[in-house]
Amino acid sequence: MDCLFCKIIGGEIPADKVYEDDYVFAFRDINPIAPVHDLVIPKKHICCANAVNAENSEYAARIFEAVPKIAKAENIESYRIINNCGEDAGQSVMHLHFHLLGGVKMGWGEDSLGKTE
Ligand code: AMP
Ligand code: ZN
């Protein structure tokens, strides 16, 4: 399958790995928007949040179990998790991923940290 994140999981494309277990892979975003900016992804190809279902929801659960461990490894107690689902929301890679952002005081609303392009 021609999926960038599947290739990263498979080791075909290098990434700065921060965490891995049987279900979850996490690595540093190549274009960080915060001092800590990791991508937390399922080790199974799920295109987006819309495709999470009873059959694959174990992966979603495992992602949320892994997040506190990743945050701890990155030395942050406070963080934001973002999922962009679909084109209008800014999803550019069609493999489910959660942005884990931290290491900076974040605003909300107009001041919020996010992509503007
Ligand atoms: P999204 O726009 O929500 O789909 O997020 C995709 C993210 O993947 C962006 O923040 C990119 O900077 C990041 N990204 C793209 N290619 C790579 C890569 N090879 N290694 C790490 N992060 C990447
Ligand atoms: Zn994939």
Side-chain angles (χ1 to χ4, degrees):
M1 190 184 293
D2 194 24
C3 168
L4 175 65
F5 288 175
C6 281
K7 286 180 181 163
I8 284 177
I9 292 164
E12 273 176 71
I13 291 175
D16 192 0
K17 182 170 92 173
V18 290
Y19 178 86
E20 182 175 11
D21 65 29
D22 287 347
Y23 291 81
V24 179
F25 195 92
F27 54 102
R28 298 209 165 92
D29 196 292
I30 205 166
N31 187 21
I33 61 166
V36 173
H37 185 171
D38 297 339
L39 296 173
V40 190
I41 69 175
K43 283 173 102 171
K44 179 188 176 76
H45 183 84
I46 299 170
C47 72
C48 59
N50 280 339
V52 175
N53 57 35
E55 222 172 87
N56 62 27
S57 60
E58 176 80 15
Y59 285 87
R62 295 285 186 145
I63 282 172
F64 284 96
E65 265 185 65
V67 161
K69 297 178 196 170
I70 299 164
K72 199 171 177 193
E74 293 283 28
N75 279 310
I76 50 168
E77 279 179 22
S78 187
Y79 50 85
R80 182 171 291 168
I81 303 163
I82 295 174
N83 169 253
N84 297 324
C85 180
E87 208 181 316
D88 282 357
Q91 184 175 6
S92 62
V93 179
M94 292 308 286
H95 181 126
L96 178 66
H97 53 281
F98 294 86
H99 298 258
L100 177 62
L101 303 172
V104 67
K105 186 100 175 157
M106 289 175 258
W108 189 245
E110 283 187 13
D111 292 324
S112 76
L113 185 61
K115 290 182 183 173
T116 51
E117 290 155 32

